[in-house]
Amino acid sequence: MTVILLCVAAAILLVLGFEMFLVMGVPTLLAWLLLFPSIPPVALAQKLLGGVNVSTLLAIPFFIFAADIMARGTIAKRLTDLVKTNIGHVRGGIGHTTVVSCMGFGAICGSAPATVAALGRLLHPELLKARYSETFSLALIASSAECALLIPPSITLIIYGWLTGTSIADLFAGGFVVGVALGIAFMIYVQIVTWRTGAGLFPRATRRERLLALRDGLVALGMPFIILGGIYGGIFTATEAAAVAVAYALLIEMVVYRSIGLKVLMEIAEGSAITVAVIFILLATGSMLSFLITLAQVPAFFTQLFAAWNVDWIVFLLIVNVVLLVAGMFIDPNSILLVLVPTFYPVATSLGIDPVHFGLVVCLNICIGMITPPFGLDLFVASSTLRRPVELIIRGIWPFIVVNILVLLLITYVPQISTGLLAIVR
């Protein structure tokens, strides 16, 4: 009964619009006072601070800083020009350019909101010129940015790896395959819309334009090759790769392209610091919440419950998908990870589900939540970036949600898609 009341308290705080660290933190403190009063306050303080005192989490501020540098610089435009000059002339080419550019930029920054902000202004006018509808164009940009949460380096996968102890390199390998699969599914839908509406044809670029775009774009594409090559080549860890990403972004934008000066860099650093602070406050609160969830034996309760009901992995993952899809409509991605992964992960392992497979199922659900009304984060980022009503984006987002769910079912019930590349990279 006490646990139910605490869940109700959290729901009330969420509905009233309180910040997520309070939605998680207040019930956590109440749970401590009501269920575990014998635990000294210093123990909670140690969990609060010690939970984020983990070297793996250093990758998050570095990747966020690198993403913000590239979003303010010229890498995003050069990457888009590289794709557009090569495939923009084919039927549906500019739509495919949007998907591939978001995948490429996601492989550089690892952040869906940063991808929407960086590429939205570049791609939206091009899609309209190609005679795609406003609603389709806005929805395509918001949806394609999801690939950034899957294709490494992915901040979401880093947090999942920290919570569960799963290898970040293994998660990155699985995320690459799933991200590409999602991108291909979007491109199939783009082609269907193109055939139906007759939109999507651009003039063929000249040989000189393609060569210039290749010269500029290869420098931008160097980052994912350096990061992933370094990780899987054993040269550096995922955390060290994040620091390399910052150094590379600074080198390209400040020295090679000279698109960012010292004053702008300080502004970028300030914005990145605020973003990182918000995330780490959530992570610290979540680590304390996970500690109490474990003490309350919530995972053991669900494990015994599902065993009593004779639930197999197929039904369990269906339940997980439904819970995560509903949660994604109202809660931000990091909070979903912090609240639900410590609860469901022990059950998943007890049913023999591969940690990497489960992580990609969770991450793809979070991707869908980023574009699902009423509170999908990418919807509002796209709205503010492109100065369009969020209702207009929602109007065109539903077909993309259907595509997402179809891919989710495929990833959920064909585990080899998530884990097939691991045999090669291990």
Side-chain angles (χ1 to χ4, degrees):
M1 180 59 71
T2 303
V3 173
I4 295 175
L5 291 175
L6 291 173
C7 292
V8 170
I12 292 173
L13 291 172
L14 181 64
V15 170
L16 292 177
F18 282 81
E19 294 293 335
M20 277 309 302
F21 85 94
L22 290 175
V23 174
M24 291 193 300
V26 171
T28 299
L29 291 176
L30 290 175
W32 166 54
L33 294 172
L34 296 175
L35 300 176
F36 307 105
S38 61
I39 297 178
V42 68
L44 289 186
Q46 288 172 344
K47 286 295 177 183
L48 191 69
L49 299 177
V52 293
N53 187 21
V54 182
S55 60
T56 302
L57 295 181
L58 283 174
I60 294 176
F62 282 123
F63 278 132
I64 288 174
F65 189 33
D68 289 346
I69 292 171
M70 291 179 288
R72 287 285 291 271
T74 62
I75 284 180
K77 183 179 186 308
R78 294 171 190 270
L79 184 63
T80 302
D81 289 343
L82 171 62
V83 180
K84 185 173 70 174
T85 55
N86 283 279
I87 65 174
H89 61 278
V90 303
R91 180 67 65 184
I94 193 62
H96 299 318
T97 296
T98 301
V99 178
V100 175
S101 297
C102 288
M103 292 169 66
F105 194 74
I108 295 172
C109 75
S111 168
T115 301
V116 174
L119 299 182
R121 293 189 185 95
L122 300 174
L123 294 167
H124 182 245
E126 302 290 332
L127 288 165
L128 295 180
K129 269 192 234 174
R131 303 192 309 280
Y132 287 109
S133 69
E134 177 92 82
T135 54
F136 175 83
S137 302
L138 294 169
L140 177 61
I141 292 169
S143 302
S144 299
E146 293 176 60
C147 297
L149 289 183
L150 294 163
I151 295 176
S154 164
I155 294 171
T156 303
L157 290 177
I158 291 172
I159 294 175
Y160 172 86
W162 162 66
L163 284 169
T164 63
T166 308
S167 165
I168 303 296
D170 288 352
L171 289 169
F172 279 3
F176 176 79
V177 176
V178 175
V180 170
L182 183 63
I184 292 173
F186 286 150
M187 293 173 74
I188 292 171
Y189 177 65
V190 166
Q191 198 63 45
I192 292 171
V193 172
T194 302
W195 287 335
R196 193 173 66 233
T197 62
L201 191 63
F202 254 58
R204 182 185 291 270
T206 65
R207 177 182 174 84
R208 183 172 184 275
E209 287 173 334
R210 288 199 301 270
L211 289 175
L212 288 174
L214 179 63
R215 181 197 67 185
D216 293 339
L218 282 178
V219 179
L221 286 175
M223 181 177 289
F225 284 106
I226 291 173
I227 292 174
L228 298 181
I231 291 173
Y232 295 114
I235 300 173
F236 39 68
T237 65
T239 303
E240 292 165 343
V244 171
V246 172
Y248 189 86
L250 290 172
L251 175 66
I252 298 303
E253 296 291 6
M254 297 191 71
V255 179
V256 177
Y257 295 152
R258 298 188 178 182
S259 59
I260 291 176
L262 189 59
K263 181 180 178 181
V264 175
L265 180 64
M266 293 299 104
E267 294 174 0
I268 295 170
E270 181 182 0
S272 298
I274 293 172
T275 303
V276 170
V278 171
I279 292 175
F280 270 72
I281 288 172
L282 282 175
L283 295 180
T285 307
S287 66
M288 186 170 62
L289 174 61
S290 300
F291 171 63
L292 294 181
I293 285 175
T294 304
L295 282 182
Q297 298 184 336
V298 173
F301 168 76
F302 280 106
T303 301
Q304 294 168 4
L305 181 65
F306 288 136
W309 288 353
N310 201 25
V311 171
D312 60 7
W313 71 275
I314 295 176
V315 177
F316 170 73
L317 287 180
L318 178 61
I319 295 170
V320 168
N321 283 334
V322 172
V323 171
L324 290 174
L325 287 173
V326 173
M329 297 179 186
F330 305 98
I331 307 175
D332 70 275
N334 294 327
S335 300
I336 292 174
L337 287 171
L338 294 169
V339 173
L340 296 179
V341 168
T343 301
F344 286 134
Y345 178 75
V347 183
T349 54
S350 70
L351 292 173
I353 299 173
D354 187 281
V356 173
H357 174 217
F358 185 68
L360 269 300
V361 170
V362 171
C363 189
L364 186 49
N365 273 288
I366 286 174
C367 287
I368 299 173
M370 297 285 282
I371 61 167
T372 305
F375 299 121
L377 179 60
D378 282 354
L379 301 177
F380 293 95
V381 174
S383 175
S384 62
T385 300
L386 301 174
R387 302 183 185 279
R388 296 293 189 278
V390 70
E391 295 83 4
L392 195 62
I393 305 173
I394 292 174
R395 202 179 304 160
I397 206 70
W398 299 107
F400 290 95
I401 293 176
V402 172
V403 172
N404 269 288
I405 291 175
L406 292 175
V407 175
L408 174 62
L409 291 173
L410 182 65
I411 299 304
T412 299
Y413 294 115
V414 185
Q416 293 78 8
I417 298 175
S418 303
T419 60
L421 193 59
L422 298 183
I424 299 174
V425 300
R426 280 175 174 170

